[in-house]
Amino acid sequence: MTHLYIPFLSEVTGLESIIFWFICGGLGVFTPLIIAGVMMLRKEGGKFTKETFVERLRFRPMTRRDWRYSLLALVVIGLLTSGIMIAMQVLFSDFNHTPSFMTLDPLSPGRYWLLLAWLPYWLLNIGGEEFFWRGVLLPRQEKTFEDKTWILHGTGWAIFHIAFGWQLFVMLLPLLYIEPYVVQKTQNTWTGVFLHGVINGPSFIAIALGII
């Protein structure tokens, strides 16, 4: 998707590559994660009931403790990510954490429709990853690896992001390990949805509008 299809489609059509990332990423990466998660649940014999979502997938109402963990994690991830960015810019003068297929010039009149194209992709991105990784996979891994699961889980999630290039990979490391830790600690998948969604969504909008 990232190294073959997106560059090819962009070259053939002359359209911005990020448009095809929305399409290929949403339909070719994150939708299959949802399908894989559904298949794993069916293999377990689970049925899609309210109890399944609350108990098996751990989409539980957020408590004050959950919010405290989530907000603290958000601050820590922000500080660590900022520190890594500054360090990488000092060490590498040409450091650029944005992969070529995600490159986006600040939106101008006539291009704001890209935000509408981005929205369904963002929902599939956050929904697909959190459903599969934190909802389906993490509880299964906890049965074997117990309190150290977040380390293994974070490493697997990191490998999943290698295709984005080493620069973005390094930038994502705080999120890739802290989020699984928080979800495992709170036993609530919504904490992962919150962290992933808040970090991913507003950051893209800020980039798209030329704020950062």
Side-chain angles (χ1 to χ4, degrees):
M1 293 298 177
T2 60
H3 290 75
L4 294 176
Y5 292 148
I6 295 173
F8 171 76
L9 292 171
S10 180
E11 182 177 352
V12 168
T13 63
L15 298 174
E16 296 179 62
S17 59
I18 196 165
I19 296 172
F20 296 106
W21 168 238
F22 293 160
I23 297 171
C24 293
L27 299 179
V29 178
F30 303 118
T31 297
L33 281 184
I34 297 173
I35 296 172
V38 170
M39 292 174 64
M40 291 171 70
L41 287 177
R42 288 178 65 88
K43 191 173 181 180
E44 292 177 4
K47 297 181 179 179
F48 285 91
T49 63
K50 181 178 179 181
E51 183 179 2
T52 299
F53 277 90
V54 174
E55 298 302 327
R56 171 59 183 85
L57 299 175
R58 304 195 299 209
F59 285 101
R60 298 163 178 163
M62 293 278 284
T63 65
R64 289 185 179 180
R65 177 176 178 270
D66 295 339
W67 281 113
R68 285 197 297 268
Y69 266 101
S70 299
L71 294 173
L72 178 59
L74 189 63
V75 172
V76 173
I77 292 170
L79 291 174
L80 290 177
T81 303
S82 299
I84 291 174
M85 177 181 287
I86 294 171
M88 290 297 102
Q89 289 174 340
V90 170
L91 293 173
F92 305 97
S93 58
D94 59 344
F95 180 77
N96 181 10
H97 67 277
T98 304
S100 59
F101 59 88
M102 288 185 178
T103 301
L104 176 67
D105 294 327
L107 298 183
S108 54
R111 293 175 66 242
Y112 289 117
W113 64 270
L114 283 172
L115 288 176
L116 294 177
W118 163 79
L119 183 58
Y121 155 80
W122 179 71
L123 293 173
L124 284 172
N125 177 191
I126 305 304
E129 287 196 63
E130 296 309 314
F131 170 74
F132 177 80
W133 285 95
R134 256 63 65 189
V136 177
L137 197 58
L138 185 63
R140 288 168 65 104
Q141 293 174 324
E142 287 177 7
K143 293 180 179 179
T144 300
F145 301 100
E146 300 178 343
D147 61 338
K148 299 297 189 297
T149 299
W150 65 275
I151 300 174
L152 172 75
H153 184 90
T155 301
W157 198 29
I159 293 171
F160 176 74
H161 286 83
I162 285 179
F164 295 164
W166 75 268
Q167 294 96 331
L168 182 57
F169 175 82
V170 171
M171 292 288 299
L172 290 173
L173 285 174
L175 172 66
L176 295 175
Y177 284 95
I178 293 175
E179 183 186 323
Y181 173 81
V182 170
V183 175
Q184 183 175 356
K185 192 73 175 178
T186 60
Q187 295 287 289
N188 193 338
T189 303
W190 281 120
T191 59
V193 173
F194 170 79
L195 288 171
H196 199 175
V198 168
I199 291 172
N200 186 300
S203 62
F204 174 81
I205 294 174
I207 292 171
L209 296 179
I211 298 173
I212 60 175

